[in-house]
Amino acid sequence: MGITVETANGMSADEMMGKIIKGFTIRALLQNSGLIRQDGTLTVACLELFGKNPQRWLPGITIKGVCMPGTSIASTTFLDKLDSPDTNGNLLHQYEQIMAFFTRNLHRRQTEEEFNSIGSLEIPYSSLSELTVNALIHRSLTRQSPIRVFIFDDRVEIHSPGTLPGGLSVDEIKQGTSLPRNMLLFNNAIFLLPYTGIGSGIVRALQDDDHIEFLNDEGRQEFIVTLKRNNSDTTGSNSQEGNSVREAPKSVRVALISNSQREKSNSQNIKSNSLSNSQQSESNSQELSTKEREVIAFCSVPRTSREILEHLNIGYQTKNIKRYITDLVNRGLLLMSNPSNPKDKKQKYRKA
């Protein structure tokens, strides 16, 4: 088309479409795709795919997430939360929020001999991705309840509103049978989310992790996926350490106990500092504006300054960069991908 990136960034969607097909508009494209009705009203699929805040009209199409200690939902404390203001947005934004929630709360284990190698999540990322996409696309659109994600010490649970459609059974979906609730959403989300649309998501998830359980709960009108966490290595390590202290000679036991007490003291200091940082972070978050909160939520995955300001629909100007990015970095709410060179042209920012 002979359009440079700089030119494209300054063009409206209709202008861009007109360059591809003369006289064509985005509205005409969406109408031809069935995403906009002839009277101009948007379909549910269109809102979920392209809406900046579809929850304004579809308040039930949201997600909730809690990471809590222990193995019961009755726990009175939590370690991390996904709240509606942060998760409001289209399907891609919700997918990114859930996956970021998983990656910051699940353990990583060393899988290569190289010590500095990046560890793999204790639950395969591919399985988490497939099941998250499945929940977002196949959830009931009539039940006014959120997708719920729970991270416990021994498992992860994904609760999707609505049971399997059309009388499908758990055995059938394990074999690749798929029955979409909303065909428009199903056919078009393939261009937005990482899935193929041929019903192979559950099959691939099971190939990567065979410790997955499915429950089609008619009573609660939910489809629940449970993925087991592997904490046996940690338990075994603690057990062996305890035995080594008891079985060692007296002089060695004294040294081990002394080290243990020292580590306990260090742990308490770290915990105290962590609480102090947490309280400071909470204080900072209470002072955030709506746009600042939106920036932090958007940066659940690394973003460039241009991407951030375009997401806010404001000009790419120095004053806006300072107000909505630099100030958040200085307050410790955003992290730079290359902090040693703040002026790096490839600099990206992510949620702290």
Side-chain angles (χ1 to χ4, degrees), residues 12-298:
S12 68
D14 281 342
E15 288 173 336
M16 179 70 74
M17 183 56 61
K19 291 289 185 179
I20 299 173
I21 304 176
K22 188 174 182 180
F24 214 55
T25 64
I26 288 293
R27 175 169 177 170
L29 174 65
L30 294 176
Q31 281 183 336
N32 290 352
S33 303
L35 295 171
I36 291 182
R37 300 183 180 92
Q38 292 301 317
D39 62 0
T41 57
L42 307 181
T43 64
V44 170
C46 187
L47 283 171
E48 284 214 76
L49 292 168
F50 306 114
K52 285 189 175 181
N53 185 18
Q55 289 73 24
R56 178 179 177 184
W57 294 274
L58 303 169
I61 310 299
T62 186
I63 53 179
K64 298 277 189 179
V66 183
C67 175
M68 59 185 69
T71 59
S72 171
I73 197 173
S75 176
T76 58
T77 59
F78 70 89
L79 304 175
D80 191 12
K81 273 188 177 182
L82 272 177
D83 291 322
S84 292
D86 292 336
T87 60
N88 284 355
N90 65 10
L91 284 183
L92 178 59
H93 178 73
Q94 292 189 329
Y95 169 80
E96 291 173 342
Q97 289 290 301
I98 294 176
M99 295 308 297
F101 181 64
F102 284 141
T103 54
R104 69 174 179 258
N105 287 298
L106 293 177
H107 299 153
R108 287 189 177 272
R109 300 182 183 278
Q110 185 174 344
T111 55
E112 300 177 13
E113 292 184 3
E114 172 58 44
F115 180 78
N116 293 320
S117 63
I118 299 176
S120 299
L121 284 181
E122 57 184 295
I123 298 174
Y125 185 92
S126 55
S127 294
L128 293 168
S129 176
E130 294 286 0
L131 296 169
T132 297
V133 168
N134 188 75
L136 289 169
I137 294 178
H138 295 294
R139 63 152 291 159
S140 170
L141 300 174
T142 58
R143 290 187 62 80
Q144 296 298 303
S145 58
I147 291 172
R148 297 183 296 155
V149 179
F150 298 101
I151 300 179
F152 298 102
D153 285 348
D154 63 341
R155 69 192 187 281
V156 168
E157 292 183 2
I158 303 174
H159 294 239
S160 183
T163 54
L164 292 174
L168 278 178
S169 68
V170 169
D171 287 338
E172 286 174 326
I173 65 168
K174 285 183 177 180
Q175 295 172 13
T177 304
S178 177
L179 185 61
R181 293 183 191 275
N182 185 310
M183 191 57 70
L184 281 174
L185 184 62
F186 182 78
N187 288 338
N188 289 281
I190 191 173
F191 304 107
L192 195 68
L193 299 177
Y195 88 106
T196 61
I198 60 174
S200 60
I202 297 293
V203 177
R204 286 197 304 274
L206 286 169
Q207 287 178 343
D208 293 334
D209 183 358
D210 57 2
H211 296 95
I212 303 177
E213 298 176 359
F214 302 95
L215 175 62
N216 193 35
D217 194 325
E218 297 282 355
R220 288 189 286 180
Q221 285 294 294
E222 285 186 325
F223 183 69
I224 304 170
V225 180
T226 303
L227 303 99
K228 301 295 184 183
R229 297 182 66 182
N230 183 9
N231 292 322
S232 59
D233 293 346
T234 303
T235 304
S237 175
N238 292 339
S239 176
Q240 291 173 2
E241 184 179 347
N243 289 336
S244 66
V245 173
R246 286 193 296 271
E247 295 171 2
K250 181 177 180 181
S251 59
V252 177
R253 289 204 306 270
V254 171
L256 287 172
I257 292 172
S258 176
N259 288 337
S260 176
Q261 290 173 340
R262 207 160 34 242
E263 289 173 0
K264 182 177 180 181
S265 175
N266 290 338
S267 176
Q268 289 173 342
N269 290 336
I270 291 172
K271 183 177 181 181
S272 175
N273 291 337
S274 176
L275 287 173
S276 176
N277 291 337
S278 175
Q279 290 168 351
Q280 180 65 39
S281 176
E282 183 177 353
S283 175
N284 286 339
S285 65
Q286 291 175 350
E287 302 168 1
L288 294 175
S289 67
T290 301
K291 283 190 179 294
E292 287 172 330
R293 290 180 184 275
E294 189 175 347
V295 169
I296 293 173
F298 183 62

